[in-house]
Amino acid sequence: EVPHHAEDSAELAREAAQAGSQKGESTLVEEWDKHMEGFVPELLLTFPLAPRSDEFFYEDLPKGSQPVLIRGGFFAAASEETSSVEFSITDPTGSIIFEKQDEAEGLFHFVASTPGTYTFIVSNHKWMQEKMVTFAVGKGNETHLQAEHLETVEDHVRAIDKTLVDIQTESTYLWIRQKSHMKAVESIHTRVLAFCVVEFLILIGISGFQVYYIKGLLSDRRIL
């Protein structure tokens, strides 16, 4: 008979087997709904990332621990606009198990089965552009109770609590992302307005010069 924890580990492995191969075919919200249900971050941090620098985060899996699902995401912005960073995850042997190149945002999920330290690397390869990066990571696969499983008031309260925590986590992450997008749109609108004003002033100047020049020609008696 196969132990229950072995079956659970195999199921977690199947669910996260494609963690490093997804190419962004689904939207961020769809991917969150599919893979991040019940996600509670142990770390949610927004920090500046200087040009030509790397930031490292670590997650340890003690020896003898059961395989655990690790999930999280990142979002990058620069100068009130979305920007891109390089993001990768290495296992305790140093092998890259997840990688995003030149991406502004992304979600990751994988099963950590090898004891040791897993490293999360956020890199800014730009020469002069500082970026603000939001990073979240958490362990475990807490899922919501289904309606047919609820029997007591305590179970109902527990399910509602998990749902609220999930909504709060998703809302916080998406709010930071949306705020950056709004700042980018406002910045573009400001530049467009300034350009229109300058163009209008130039047109007025050219029109005034033309009127003055034609008036001068008509009033020149030598031409008459």
Side-chain angles (χ1 to χ4, degrees):
E1 182 179 358
V2 180
H4 290 293
H5 65 79
E7 294 178 355
D8 295 339
S9 300
E11 182 178 355
L12 290 176
R14 287 193 299 270
E15 291 178 353
Q18 298 177 349
S21 62
Q22 293 194 2
K23 301 300 181 179
E25 295 178 357
S26 60
T27 65
L28 181 69
V29 176
E30 291 172 344
E31 189 175 358
W32 186 289
D33 291 339
K34 183 177 180 181
H35 300 291
M36 306 297 285
E37 181 183 5
F39 172 65
V40 179
E42 297 176 354
L43 173 66
L44 178 58
L45 178 66
T46 298
F47 59 92
L49 186 60
R52 304 294 297 176
S53 66
D54 304 302
E55 194 71 32
F56 297 83
F57 300 89
Y58 304 94
E59 190 71 56
D60 292 324
L61 183 65
K63 292 183 178 179
S65 300
Q66 295 295 328
V68 62
L69 180 63
I70 298 179
R71 299 179 291 178
F74 69 93
F75 174 75
S79 301
E80 300 184 349
E81 297 181 6
T82 56
S83 186
S84 59
V85 295
E86 283 68 39
F87 180 84
S88 61
I89 304 173
T90 59
D91 63 12
T93 65
S95 301
I96 297 177
I97 59 177
F98 183 88
E99 186 174 27
K100 286 278 189 178
Q101 292 290 336
D102 199 27
E103 294 284 348
E105 60 190 14
L107 300 176
F108 58 87
H109 52 97
F110 64 96
V111 174
S113 55
T114 304
T117 301
Y118 290 80
T119 306
F120 305 81
I121 308 170
V122 186
S123 303
N124 179 10
H125 291 166
K126 300 296 183 181
W127 282 93
M128 300 180 62
Q129 188 181 56
E130 183 182 77
K131 304 183 179 182
M132 293 299 297
V133 180
T134 298
F135 176 74
V137 65
K139 293 186 297 185
N141 188 25
E142 298 293 333
T143 56
H144 304 303
L145 294 175
Q146 301 299 321
E148 59 270 18
H149 298 155
L150 301 178
E151 297 178 354
T152 65
V153 175
E154 289 77 11
D155 291 334
H156 281 283
V157 172
R158 192 177 300 112
I160 293 173
D161 180 69
K162 289 183 178 180
T163 303
L164 292 176
V165 171
D166 192 25
I167 293 173
Q168 181 182 17
T169 302
E170 181 179 1
S171 299
T172 301
Y173 187 87
L174 295 179
W175 177 81
I176 295 173
R177 174 174 173 264
Q178 184 64 25
K179 182 180 179 181
S180 179
H181 287 172
M182 292 177 62
K183 288 183 177 180
V185 171
E186 291 175 358
S187 177
I188 292 173
H189 286 174
T190 301
R191 291 197 295 266
V192 170
L193 178 60
F195 177 80
C196 291
V197 172
V198 172
E199 185 179 23
F200 180 74
L201 294 176
I202 292 174
L203 289 175
I204 292 178
I206 293 175
S207 300
F209 174 79
Q210 289 177 340
V211 171
Y212 177 80
Y213 181 76
I214 294 173
K215 183 179 179 182
L217 291 178
L218 295 177
S219 63
D220 193 344
R221 296 180 179 178
R222 291 176 297 179
I223 295 180
L224 299 176

